[in-house]
Amino acid sequence: MEDLLAARTQMAVSLMFHILFAIAGMAMPVLMAVSEGLWLRTRDPVHLELTKRWAKGTAILFAVGAVSGTVLSFELGLLWPKFMEHAGAIIGMPFSLEGFAFFTEAIFLGIYLYGWNKVPPRAHFLAGIVVAVSGGLSAVFVVAANAWMNTPTGFDLVDGKMVNIDPLAAMLSPAAIPQAVHMLLAAYAAVGFAVAGIHAWVLLRHPESRFHRAALGIALAVGGPAALLQPVSGDLLARMVADTQPAKLAAMEGHFETRKAAPLLVGGLPDPDARVTRWAVEIPYGLSLLAYHDPHAEVKGLNDIPRENWPNVPIVHLSFQVMVGCGMVMALLALAAGWLRLRRRPLTVRWLLRALILASPLGVLGIEAGWFVTEVGRQPWIIQGVMRTRDALTPMPGLTVPLATITLVYVVLGIIVVFLLKRHVIVTVPEEGT
Amino acid sequence: MELAAGLVIVAALNLYAVSGGADFGGGVWDLLARGPRAQRQRELIAHAIGPIWEANHVWLILAIVVLFTAFPPAFARVTTVLHIPLFLMLLGIIARGAAFSFRAYGDPARETQRPWGPVFAVSSLLTPLLLGVVLGAIASGTATLEAGFFASWWRLFPFAVGIFALAMFAFLAAVYLAVEAEEGEMREDFRRRAMISEVALGVMAALVLAAAGSRAPEILHDLTRTPWSWALHAVTAASALTVLFALWRRRYGLARIAAVLQVSLIVWGWAFSQFPHLVRPDLTLANAAAPPVTLRLMLGALAGGTVLLLPAFVYLFRVFGKLRRP
Ligand code: HDD
Ligand code: HEM
Ligand code: HEM
C-alpha cells in the first residue's frame, strides 16, 4: 500500500475508533446525571441502581477513550509532522483548552466513579454534572481544531507560509460553531438511541422490569430531542459548507454541472469519469433551496473545479446519503416516542421497542458517515486551500506496518470491550423491587 | 516566554514521572510479585493505582500539547525521527491502560481476568523503557534527520537512559507501596524492594554516565559544566541517601518525600544539562519557538486553567487521601 494511503487510513481508523468512546464520554455522563437527579428527588432505588450500572459501563469506555485519544495526539505528529509544524502554533490553542477540559473531566470522574461512599450525595451529583459539561467542552474545542482545517482563518499567507497568526480568530473559524453544535447533538442522539436500543432489547423479553423502563425513558428523553434538532443544525452546517467549501458541497450532492435552480439528488451513484450521478431521485430546486434557501440560487458544480482538487466523489456522496438517512429515521422515531409520551401511553409497546432495537446503531453510523463527509470531502487538502495532505506526510517509510498493527490492536480491543460490557453491565435484569 | 513554556513542559514531565511513572513502577512489581504474599501484593498495587490513574495520565498529554503548540518544529522533528520508538511506546500505553482497567473494572473472580496480569506487567516494562529511549535520543543529539529512523535511537546511550527510567519508576513505586501497605509483612516486602531498587538506581546512574562518557561526551560535559550542576548532583545524591536512611529507620513518610525530591531533581537535572537545547544538536528554545502571540495565549490559558483546577485537585486528593477501598 502506498504510504500516503496507509497514513490516511491509519488516521481514519484511529479517529473512527476514538469517536466511539468520545461520544460515550460526552453523553453517558448526561444520562447518569439525569438518572441520579431523579434518584435524589424521588429516592426510588431503581434510579440509583441504574446510575451505578451505567457508571460501571462508562468507566470501561472512558479508559479506552483516554488511551485512544493519547494515541491520536501522538499520531498527529507521527503521521503529519509537516502539518503540525506549520499549524501547531495556530491550533495549539484549542488543544490546550481541551487539555484542561480533559483534566477537569478526569478529576471529577475519579470522584464520581470511586467516591460513592466518600462524598455527600449532592457533591457526587455535582461531580457528575461537571463531568458532563467538561466532556462536552472538550468536544467543542477539538472540533474547533478540525473546523479550522476546513475553513482556515486567523493568519496571512505570505509565500506559502502562515504569518501574522491570530490563534483566537483561528479558533472561531466559520465552521467552528455550526460543527460543534452538530457534533454535540450527534453525540447525545447517537448514545441516547444506542442505549435505548439495548434496554428495549431486554424489555422485549421482560416488559415489566422497572429498571429497564426507567433506563429507556431517560435514554429517549436525552436522545429524542437531540435527534429532532439534528436536521436543523445539519441545515445550518450545510449552508456554511456551501459558502466556504464548494468542492465539498458539490461532492456531497453529486452535483457536476454549475447551474441555477439546482435539483437535489437523493441516492444514486456519482461517476466521476462520466461526470454524472446515475440512478438518483431528483427533487427540483431542492439543492438551491437547501444550500441557499432560494430556489433559483446558483450552485457551483464539480465541472468548474479542477479535477486535481476533487475529493473522492462517490464516497462523499454516499456517506452524506447515509448520514441524512440515519437522521431522518431517528427524527421520525423521536417523534413517535414523543407522541406516545404526550398521549401518556407507555413506551413499551412492542412496535416501538422493535423499531428502537433496529435503530440503535443508526446514530453511531450517522456519526462515522458524517465524519467521512467532512474529512474525505476536504481532500486533497489537509488545510483547505493551504496545504495538501500529501505535503504533510512524514518521510518515514513502511507506514503499512503501523497501520496493520493499530488496526489489529483496535479490533481486539473492540471485541474485548463489547464482551465485557455484555457480560458485566447490560443483559441482566436486577431483582424486582430494587 | 519560550523559557516559561519550556519550564511548563519539564514540570509536566516531572509530575508525570512522580505520578504516572510510579504507576508504571507498580506494574513492574506486579510482574515481580513473589512469595506467599504475591496475590496480596498485586491487589495492593491495583488499589493504589485505581482512583487516580486517569488523572495521572493527563500530565503526559499536557507535555505533548505544550510541546506542539509552543515548539512546533521540535514536535515535528521528534515525531518524525523517533517514529518507531514512539509508536512502540504508544502500543505499550494502549495495552497497559486497557489491561489495567479491564482487570480493575471486570469481575475479579473470573477466569477471563487472568490474561490481563501479564499484559499489564509487560507493557509496564516496555513503556518506560521506550520513554527513556526517546528522551535519551533527544538528549544525546542523535535525533536528526540525517541519522535516519533507526540510527537516531538504536544506540547504547538511549537504552541506558531507558533502563535508568525503568529503575527509577520501579524505585518510586516501591517507596509509595511501602507507605501504602501499612501492615507489617507487606510493608517489609516493599521496604526491601525499595532499598534494593534505590541501590540499583545508583548503579544505573553510574552506567548512564559511563555510556555518556564513551558515546556522548558533550552530555557528560554539560552534566558537569558549572558549579550549579555539581550542587544539583550533590543534592540529588543527598536525597537518595536520605531515602535509604529513612527506609532503614522505617520512617516511611520521610522516605516518600525524599524519593519524590530525588526523582524531581533527576528530571530537572536532565533539563538543566541540555538547556537551552530542546532537541540536540540544533533545536533550541529560541529557534523552535512559536510566535509570541501563541506563547502568550497559551501561557495565559495555562495560568487561568491552573487557578481553576487547583482546588479541584486538592479536593480529589482530600477525598482519596488514603488510597484504599472503602
Ligand atoms: C447522529 C449523527 C448525525 C445525524 C443524524 C446527522 N449528522 Fe450531519 N454530521 C454528523 C452527524 C450526524 C457528524 C459526524 O457529527 C459530523 C461530522 C463533522 C461534524 O461536525 O459533524 C456531520 C457533518 C455534517 C456535514 C458536513 C460538515 C462539514 O464538512 O463541515 C453536513 C453538511 C451535515 N452533517 C448535514 C446534516 C444534515 C442535513 C442532516 C439531516 C438529517 C444531518 N447532518 C444528520
Ligand atoms: C485529532 C483529534 C483528537 C485528538 C488528538 C484527541 C485527543 C484526546 C485525548 C488525548 C483524550 C484523552 C484525555 C484523557 O486522558 O482524559 C481524549 C479523550 C476524549 N476525546 Fe478526543 N481527541 C480527538 C478527537 C476527538 C473528537 C472528534 C471528539 C468529539 C467530538 C473527542 C472527544 C473526546 C472526549 C469527550 C474525550 C474524553 C472522554 C473519554 O475519555 O472517553 N475527541 N481525546
Ligand atoms: C472523531 C471524529 C473524526 C473522524 C471519524 C475523522 C475521520 C477521518 C478520516 C476518515 C480521515 C481520512 C480522510 C482521507 O484521507 O480521505 C481523517 C483524516 C484526518 N483527520 Fe479526521 N476525523 C475526525 C475528527 C478529527 C479532528 C477533531 C481532527 C482535528 C485536528 C482531525 C484531523 C485529521 C487529520 C490531521 C487527518 C489527516 C489528513 C487528511 O486526510 O486530511 N480529525 N479523519
Side-chain angles (χ1 to χ4, degrees):
Chain A
M1 193 189 264
E2 185 207 357
D3 276 338
L4 175 62
L5 188 60
R8 288 166 61 191
T9 315
Q10 182 177 341
M11 200 69 198
V13 168
S14 311
L15 282 157
M16 288 173 66
F17 187 77
H18 180 66
I19 193 74
L20 299 176
F21 301 90
I23 55 173
M26 288 151 69
M28 283 312 293
V30 176
L31 296 191
M32 296 181 318
V34 173
S35 175
E36 193 173 0
L38 286 174
W39 179 68
L40 286 179
R41 232 181 50 205
T42 63
R43 294 283 158 179
D44 180 346
V46 158
H47 287 125
L48 181 61
E49 169 71 21
L50 181 60
T51 314
K52 288 197 169 173
R53 196 77 76 83
W54 275 344
K56 189 166 182 196
T58 308
I60 297 173
L61 298 177
F62 259 117
V64 183
V67 285
S68 58
T70 310
V71 171
L72 277 174
S73 21
F74 280 93
E75 273 177 344
L76 284 176
L78 290 177
L79 300 175
W80 317 107
K82 310 240 168 57
F83 167 64
M84 291 311 283
E85 184 167 351
H86 291 98
I90 306 180
I91 56 168
M93 193 63 195
F95 279 113
S96 312
L97 293 172
E98 188 210 17
F100 275 102
F102 285 148
F103 241 116
T104 322
E105 189 174 2
I107 292 175
F108 286 92
L109 190 71
I111 294 173
Y112 194 85
L113 292 179
Y114 296 89
W116 280 102
N117 302 319
K118 301 195 177 190
V119 300
R122 248 165 216 292
H124 190 267
F125 175 65
L126 283 181
I129 303 256
V130 176
V131 174
V133 171
S134 49
L137 276 180
S138 55
V140 170
F141 291 132
V142 104
V143 167
N146 180 266
W148 179 82
M149 294 161 62
N150 292 326
T151 54
T153 45
F155 59 89
D156 297 325
L157 206 57
V158 177
D159 299 335
K161 281 205 178 308
M162 289 177 259
V163 296
N164 294 332
I165 65 175
D166 178 353
L168 287 183
M171 219 164 82
L172 289 173
S173 69
I177 290 172
Q179 260 192 266
V181 172
H182 198 63
M183 179 71 237
L184 282 176
L185 289 173
Y188 300 138
V191 173
F193 271 77
V195 171
I198 290 165
H199 291 282
W201 191 67
V202 186
L203 279 171
L204 216 49
R205 255 144 237 136
H206 309 275
E208 295 312 316
S209 166
R210 291 186 53 233
F211 175 85
H212 289 284
R213 285 180 174 220
L216 183 73
I218 296 172
L220 283 179
V222 172
L228 281 178
L229 290 174
Q230 191 67 328
V232 181
S233 107
D235 176 53
L236 283 175
L237 190 54
R239 281 158 63 202
M240 182 282 298
V241 174
D243 283 342
T244 56
Q245 305 157 69
K248 188 188 272 180
L249 184 84
M252 272 159 51
E253 308 291 358
H255 177 65
F256 287 93
E257 190 87 39
T258 301
R259 58 177 282 193
K260 294 201 159 91
L264 183 68
L265 303 180
V266 179
L269 187 67
D271 179 340
D273 291 324
R275 302 188 174 220
V276 288
T277 298
R278 301 206 178 86
W279 309 303
V281 179
E282 277 196 28
I283 302 176
Y285 304 107
L287 183 52
S288 296
L289 264 174
L290 280 180
Y292 297 101
H293 287 203
D294 165 5
H296 298 289
E298 180 179 280
V299 183
K300 192 166 180 181
L302 285 165
N303 286 343
D304 285 338
I305 295 163
R307 179 84 195 246
E308 80 261 16
N309 287 348
W310 290 13
N312 183 320
V313 183
I315 293 186
V316 178
H317 180 69
L318 288 184
S319 305
F320 187 64
Q321 308 305 306
V322 169
M323 169 177 63
V324 174
C326 292
M328 292 304 156
V329 174
M330 287 163 66
L332 281 179
L333 269 177
L335 276 181
W339 182 73
L340 286 176
R341 253 283 117 95
L342 281 182
R343 317 247 342 235
R344 306 208 167 275
R345 299 247 289 275
L347 291 173
T348 44
V349 286
R350 294 190 85 78
W351 62 264
L352 184 66
L353 292 182
R354 289 224 173 84
L356 285 174
I357 297 170
L358 288 178
S360 72
L362 288 188
V364 174
L365 184 65
I367 287 184
E368 303 284 10
W371 277 107
F372 261 76
V373 175
T374 305
E375 305 285 294
V376 182
R378 186 183 58 242
Q379 303 305 318
W381 305 100
I382 190 168
I383 308 171
Q384 177 77 40
V386 176
M387 180 188 263
R388 284 175 194 273
T389 310
R390 190 185 321 114
D391 302 328
L393 184 68
T394 174
M396 174 83 198
L399 292 178
T400 331
V401 179
L403 166 64
T405 317
I406 274 285
T407 311
L408 188 73
V409 167
Y410 278 169
V411 168
V412 172
L413 262 189
I415 293 173
I416 296 168
V417 169
V418 170
F419 177 79
L420 281 181
L421 285 182
K422 197 165 156 222
R423 179 145 196 176
H424 298 296
V425 191
I426 295 166
V427 282
T428 46
V429 183
E431 303 292 313
E432 274 314 314
T434 57
Chain B
M1 263 188 317
E2 303 90 83
L3 185 60
L7 292 179
V8 172
I9 295 179
V10 180
L13 285 176
N14 182 3
L15 287 164
Y16 186 59
V18 301
S19 59
D23 295 347
F24 286 113
V28 176
W29 298 121
D30 184 290
L31 188 68
L32 295 179
R34 284 278 135 64
R37 290 175 293 280
Q39 191 53 37
R40 273 171 49 222
Q41 292 175 359
R42 294 210 168 96
E43 281 164 18
L44 176 70
I45 293 165
H47 286 189
I49 299 179
I52 50 176
W53 175 76
E54 261 145 331
N56 287 344
H57 187 69
V58 180
W59 296 117
L60 177 64
I61 298 171
L62 180 66
I64 293 298
V65 170
V66 176
L67 181 64
F68 75 56
T69 309
F71 306 104
F75 180 71
R77 166 77 66 79
V78 170
T79 50
T80 306
V81 176
L82 302 175
H83 189 115
I84 298 169
L86 281 172
F87 184 74
L88 294 174
M89 183 176 110
L90 278 184
L91 290 183
I93 290 181
I94 304 177
R96 213 188 99 85
F100 175 76
S101 44
F102 291 168
R103 199 170 59 164
Y105 296 131
D107 181 346
R110 286 289 165 76
E111 289 291 296
T112 48
Q113 297 301 313
R114 211 173 285 148
W116 295 122
V119 173
F120 172 63
V122 170
S123 49
S124 298
L125 283 183
L126 270 182
T127 316
L129 178 74
L130 289 162
L131 184 65
V133 167
V134 168
L135 292 182
I138 292 174
S140 60
T142 52
T144 57
L145 291 172
E146 297 75 49
F149 302 106
F150 280 98
S152 49
W153 57 279
W154 187 258
R155 289 163 181 268
L156 180 64
F157 182 75
F159 277 88
V161 176
I163 297 173
F164 178 78
L166 190 59
M168 183 165 91
F169 292 163
F171 153 72
L172 201 56
V175 176
Y176 288 178
L177 288 167
V179 179
E180 292 281 313
E182 280 200 332
E183 148 224 355
E185 289 176 326
M186 295 269 280
R187 200 164 230 191
E188 285 300 312
D189 285 350
F190 284 110
R191 168 172 170 257
R192 210 166 333 109
R193 290 181 160 90
M195 291 169 72
I196 295 172
S197 52
E198 173 72 302
V199 173
L201 189 60
V203 176
M204 272 316 299
L207 287 181
V208 170
L209 284 183
S214 69
R215 300 301 155 104
E218 65 282 12
I219 297 190
L220 195 60
H221 173 254
D222 284 352
L223 280 171
T224 54
R225 81 183 142 181
T226 65
W228 284 105
S229 349
W230 286 107
L232 201 64
H233 296 318
V235 183
T236 313
S239 52
L241 291 176
T242 313
V243 178
L244 280 177
F245 171 78
L247 285 171
W248 183 255
R249 303 294 304 268
R250 300 200 165 72
R251 303 208 6 220
Y252 294 103
L254 177 64
R256 173 158 65 177
I257 295 171
V260 168
L261 186 68
Q262 179 191 345
V263 170
S264 309
L265 285 170
I266 292 173
V267 173
W268 285 97
W270 155 69
F272 188 65
S273 80
Q274 72 166 42
F275 177 82
H277 290 280
L278 268 172
V279 182
R280 279 171 197 269
D282 53 333
L283 293 177
T284 62
L285 287 176
N287 72 17
V293 50
T294 302
L295 297 179
R296 212 165 39 236
L297 283 168
M298 189 198 70
L299 291 171
L302 287 175
T306 311
V307 172
L308 285 178
L309 277 184
L310 215 53
F313 234 100
V314 172
Y315 186 62
L316 179 77
F317 278 92
R318 276 239 328 263
V319 172
F320 297 109
K322 296 246 174 214
L323 302 176
R324 262 167 289 107
R325 287 260 165 95

